[in-house]
Amino acid sequence: MRQGICCIFNIGPHYRTSIYKMMDQKLGCDFYFGDKVESPLKTMDYRSLNGYKHTVKNIRLFNTGFLWQSGVLRLAFGPYKHFILTGSPYILSNHVLSLFARVQNKRIYLWTHGVKGNSNWKKRILERFTFFMANKVLLYGDFAKNNMIQQGYSNDKLVPVYNSLDYEEQLIVRNQISSNLIFEEHFNNKNPVLIYIGRIQKSKKINLLIEAVAKLKSQNIFCNLVIIGKDIEGNEMPSLVDFHDLNQAVWFYGPCYDENLIGNLIYNSDVCISPGLIGLTAIHSLTYGTPVLTSNQFNKHGPEFEAIVPGSTGDFFKDGDLEDLVRTIKKWISLNKIEREAVREKAYRIIDERYNPFNQLKIIKRILKIA
């Protein structure tokens, strides 16, 4: 416990392994994780952290939506100077712990998505109280910060720390891959390749992407489409592909967890498209230099959509608008080799400068005033 930092999170997602390991190694944090959340989520190996202390029970309080983490209040009286907590207004144990810590002049940092401004008056009061108790609010991006400033929150309290995946592993993969014939050999053509990676579910609107490929085909613009992911809602995408006679142009790759394979597929694609909502897929794709297209539903996306800079690392099209999606795809598959490589470098730059655990750690150390 080199720095007296206690991290209490509702869960430890697998994708956060890299940043938590850095916090463990460089800051000497102690970690407490909740045992489960409502949505299915792959968790990291907590025992890979030297500072892992305990998995606590996340207790749902009747049907209220509130949660209590058992056994955490005693930590407020422990030898900690800093507490980094999951910043959900619905974790009631955090409110009590924050009160106990603040009266002892200990510092509270809430790691959170922030507020979107569409809350009812009861939730707004709860949000105000939650963030009032924090010394700093650690946000996933600038969009959330600007949104909260517009709602009257103090600029000084709001600090974007962004997000990251397993950057170090992905960087190794990125440095080993190059352009190859994987798609030419599979599709037996040299047509532009569109890729989707993520869960196959209705909120992603993959059907719109298939319709776009069909529309392009009707205009004698031929594209291949690769869909990587697990179908979790029983969507009938193969039937839609068959209806449009696109069986030779669509590759249902299925779920894939091998980063070498994923990196190769993304790197060699022309553009990554998530027609509905997007989150960490944007970071994943840009890490391998492939631009990202998604809808203009900014308030509904995960915060990682900010990595998409229109005309630079990707674009946004009108939500649900097939014609606008087709227009946007045309723009991005028409790049020549020099333009495509320039986009690749811009994608690398935004990940290497912002969306990686090294940058996150630097920001956290600055907040904690740790050299």
Side-chain angles (χ1 to χ4, degrees), residues 84-152:
I84 303 177
L85 312 175
T86 298
S88 168
Y90 292 100
I91 304 179
L92 293 185
S93 49
N94 279 353
H95 299 318
V96 182
L97 184 147
S98 296
L99 283 169
F100 288 162
R102 290 300 299 270
V103 297
Q104 300 174 75
N105 292 319
K106 298 182 177 184
R107 298 181 66 82
I108 298 293
Y109 310 87
L110 296 181
W111 204 333
T112 175
H113 285 267
V115 299
K116 294 188 175 182
N118 55 357
S119 307
N120 60 36
W121 67 271
K122 292 180 180 178
K123 186 176 179 182
R124 286 199 300 271
I125 292 174
L126 182 60
E127 289 169 343
R128 288 283 175 181
F129 176 75
T130 301
F131 298 122
F132 171 78
M133 291 300 299
N135 293 95
K136 296 288 184 182
V137 179
L138 314 185
L139 298 165
Y140 289 99
D142 296 291
F143 184 83
K145 177 178 179 178
N146 293 333
N147 198 25
M148 291 182 72
I149 289 173
Q150 291 176 8
Q151 295 176 51

Side-chain angles (χ1 to χ4, degrees), residues 17 20-21 24 31 33 44-52:
T17 298
Y20 287 167
K21 280 190 173 181
D24 180 50
F31 291 88
F33 297 100
M44 64 178 288
D45 178 7
Y46 298 152
R47 298 194 180 279
S48 66
L49 302 172
N50 292 324
Y52 166 68

Side-chain angles (χ1 to χ4, degrees), residues 314-331:
D315 255 318
F316 301 100
F317 61 89
K318 296 176 184 177
D319 179 43
D321 190 324
L322 177 60
E323 296 297 332
D324 199 42
L325 173 57
V326 169
R327 178 194 64 79
T328 309
I329 292 173
K330 284 181 183 179
K331 170 185 173 181

